[in-house]
Amino acid sequence: TVGEAVPDAQRGSWTSFLKSIASFSGDLSSLTAPPFILSPVSLTEFPAYWCERPELFAAIADATSDEDRAKRVLRWFISTLKGQYTSRNESMGSEKKPLNPVLGEVFYAYYICNPEKGVSLQGHSAQKTSFSGGSIIVKQIGHATLTVTLPNGEKDEYLITLPRLRIDGLWYGSPYIELCETSWIVSASGWVSTIEYKGKGYFSGKSHSYKATLTPPPSSRGLPTHIFEGTWHEKSKNVKTGELFHDVTGPKEEVSVKPVEEMDEWESRKLWGLVSKGIREGDFELASREKTRIENEQRQRRRDEVAAGTKWELKHFVHVDSDPTYERYGKFFNANPPTEDAYVFQHNPPLAEFDAPATGA
Ligand code: HCR
């Protein structure tokens, strides 16, 4: 039945929400959703999921060859997927609608960098949503670049593309994510990981299945040297040897941030403090009043911008229209589009004073 998991009093608004997403394409954030599906966390916090497997991130530096390094980058990437795409189901019972970031909002957490090991990561992601066959389809726009400084001082670089996702379970009111299609990790040394995502009924008949092949540089005309298969939210193994490749069934490291009282007014948890409190404590009047206030201020800032003919200045990043790294490695997987924009972190203030850069709107 429709809305099995929806509280009785919210069934009507859940049905209206489903009708509005079915006839809508674009930014889902503008749609009003019933309280039971609201998350108290801002989307600005989401990049923190990339930091939850620091030991695998650091281990990239200990590789013994280009192939081994490509394998370690793949292992770390696959290990971040569980947190990124299933953790709300674990902590809140289903996928939820995150708070929609506002202009000026920042979230300071870990810097995605291990200076001692010489491994760092930078990237951005935006989403384009549409509705098809009862599911929300989310195309991620953006990519990440991982850089490793080798013992000889040279740099190795990896372009990481982001998977498409489908939000299923909407009919019942218990949304969850399934990753779909293919994403790639391409290294400067020419090794390419091609990751195919499937849900129930494909490779293993299980949800969250994936299969990844690691292929040598085109100059060595190689066939894949490794094939890994399994479920990205649990474990996977090397198909040829049976050896365990990744295992995320154990605990992960959660990002820690300073106490809210010490944050400035633009930091996510401070900015959304009362909205989050309202959602967490079931005081939806408080949540809605505060949300309306923040959104009205946001609209005013947009109007001021238009009136002054100015463009919003990013605090920590510089926007570039086309990213040379993406263009350089995109040819290895026939990237479509052939170029993407990027946001270059300005290291302001510098790392020594501030080892926690921002993700922000
Ligand atoms: C699609 C989504 C917003 C975007 C979220 C992204 C893609 C953001 C970048 C992260 O690195 C990974 C990530 C994980 C989330 O799974 C994904 C969100 C899931 C739901 C949310 C929609 C905008 C909300 C839809 C409303 C539904 C749940 C009713």
Side-chain angles (χ1 to χ4, degrees):
T1 40
V2 186
E4 230 164 61
V6 181
D8 285 346
Q10 296 177 39
R11 288 216 172 157
S13 56
W14 181 242
T15 313
S16 316
F17 179 69
L18 291 185
K19 279 188 191 147
S20 47
I21 48 180
S23 55
F24 183 85
S25 178
D27 184 8
L28 271 187
S29 54
S30 59
L31 299 178
T32 308
F36 86 94
I37 206 71
L38 301 179
S39 158
V41 179
S42 167
L43 193 55
T44 313
E45 293 203 18
F46 278 46
Y49 291 123
W50 290 81
C51 311
E52 289 182 342
R53 301 280 166 185
E55 70 296 350
L56 297 179
F57 189 70
I60 295 169
D62 302 328
T64 50
S65 63
D66 291 343
E67 178 184 11
D68 185 31
R69 198 171 311 107
K71 206 164 93 180
R72 287 167 185 249
V73 173
L74 175 65
R75 178 183 290 124
W76 159 77
F77 173 76
I78 297 291
S79 303
T80 68
L81 299 178
K82 178 183 179 182
Q84 309 241 26
Y85 301 107
T86 66
S87 58
R88 276 84 50 198
N89 293 68
E90 281 182 12
S91 62
M92 300 189 259
S94 82
E95 187 56 77
K96 300 275 174 182
K97 188 171 184 282
L99 296 166
N100 188 34
V102 294
L103 261 191
E105 179 179 343
V106 286
F107 176 70
Y108 295 108
Y110 284 10
Y111 181 35
I112 310 187
C113 172
N114 184 324
E116 265 165 45
K117 292 284 194 173
V119 190
S120 64
L121 180 95
Q122 190 171 309
H124 73 285
S125 138
Q127 301 84 39
K128 212 171 179 177
T129 51
S130 55
F131 191 77
S132 167
S135 305
I136 299 173
I137 311 294
V138 183
K139 181 181 175 204
Q140 293 201 71
I141 300 156
H143 57 273
T145 307
L146 186 145
T147 310
V148 190
T149 306
L150 304 179
N152 62 7
E154 283 175 18
K155 295 216 187 284
D156 194 7
E157 207 172 40
Y158 293 79
L159 173 74
I160 302 174
T161 71
L162 307 171
R164 281 196 182 191
L165 42 127
R166 219 179 48 227
I167 306 177
D168 290 333
L170 291 167
W171 185 254
Y172 303 103
S174 53
Y176 65 92
I177 284 176
E178 193 53 90
L179 297 181
C180 30
E181 301 184 24
T182 309
S183 77
W184 288 271
I185 305 178
V186 181
S187 81
S189 58
W191 286 88
V192 178
S193 290
T194 305
I195 311 156
E196 288 176 72
Y197 305 91
K198 300 279 183 225
K200 254 187 200 138
Y202 285 87
F203 308 128
S204 67
K206 282 186 173 176
S207 303
H208 308 332
S209 297
Y210 88 95
K211 178 178 174 180
T213 51
L214 186 61
T215 317
S219 55
S220 55
R221 289 170 211 252
L223 291 168
T225 55
H226 295 285
I227 301 174
F228 305 104
E229 224 173 68
T231 47
W232 47 259
H233 67 310
E234 293 166 336
K235 297 175 186 192
S236 61
K237 57 178 196 218
N238 184 319
V239 170
K240 287 183 202 154
T241 63
E243 206 185 323
L244 185 70
F245 178 58
H246 100 293
D247 180 355
V248 285
T249 53
K252 62 178 181 178
E253 196 167 314
E254 302 234 352
V255 161
S256 55
V257 296
K258 63 184 173 193
V260 178
E261 309 77 61
E262 289 171 28
M263 291 182 177
D264 85 43
E265 56 173 330
W266 289 105
E267 294 190 53
S268 285
R269 293 192 189 176
K270 180 82 158 234
L271 180 85
W272 292 106
L274 288 174
V275 179
S276 301
K277 183 174 186 287
I279 295 173
R280 284 204 170 94
E281 295 174 1
D283 183 349
F284 296 112
E285 211 186 297
L286 171 70
S288 153
R289 193 174 58 238
E290 278 301 305
K291 193 164 166 286
T292 306
R293 181 185 61 76
I294 293 171
E295 285 166 356
N296 285 341
E297 285 174 9
Q298 169 85 171
R299 284 187 201 104
Q300 188 55 48
R301 267 197 301 284
R302 291 280 188 200
R303 280 196 291 268
D304 292 347
E305 241 184 26
V306 174
T310 53
K311 212 171 161 266
W312 183 261
E313 290 284 336
L314 294 173
K315 191 170 173 184
H316 295 288
F317 302 89
V318 166
H319 178 252
V320 290
D321 281 332
S322 43
D323 181 359
T325 310
Y326 185 88
E327 288 169 9
R328 196 170 321 129
Y329 304 122
K331 58 179 181 294
F332 287 99
F333 60 94
N334 294 326
N336 179 20
T339 192
E340 273 197 345
D341 61 355
Y343 294 84
V344 183
F345 178 48
Q346 295 303 292
H347 292 272
N348 57 329
L351 201 60
E353 291 163 45
F354 166 56
D355 58 339
T359 65

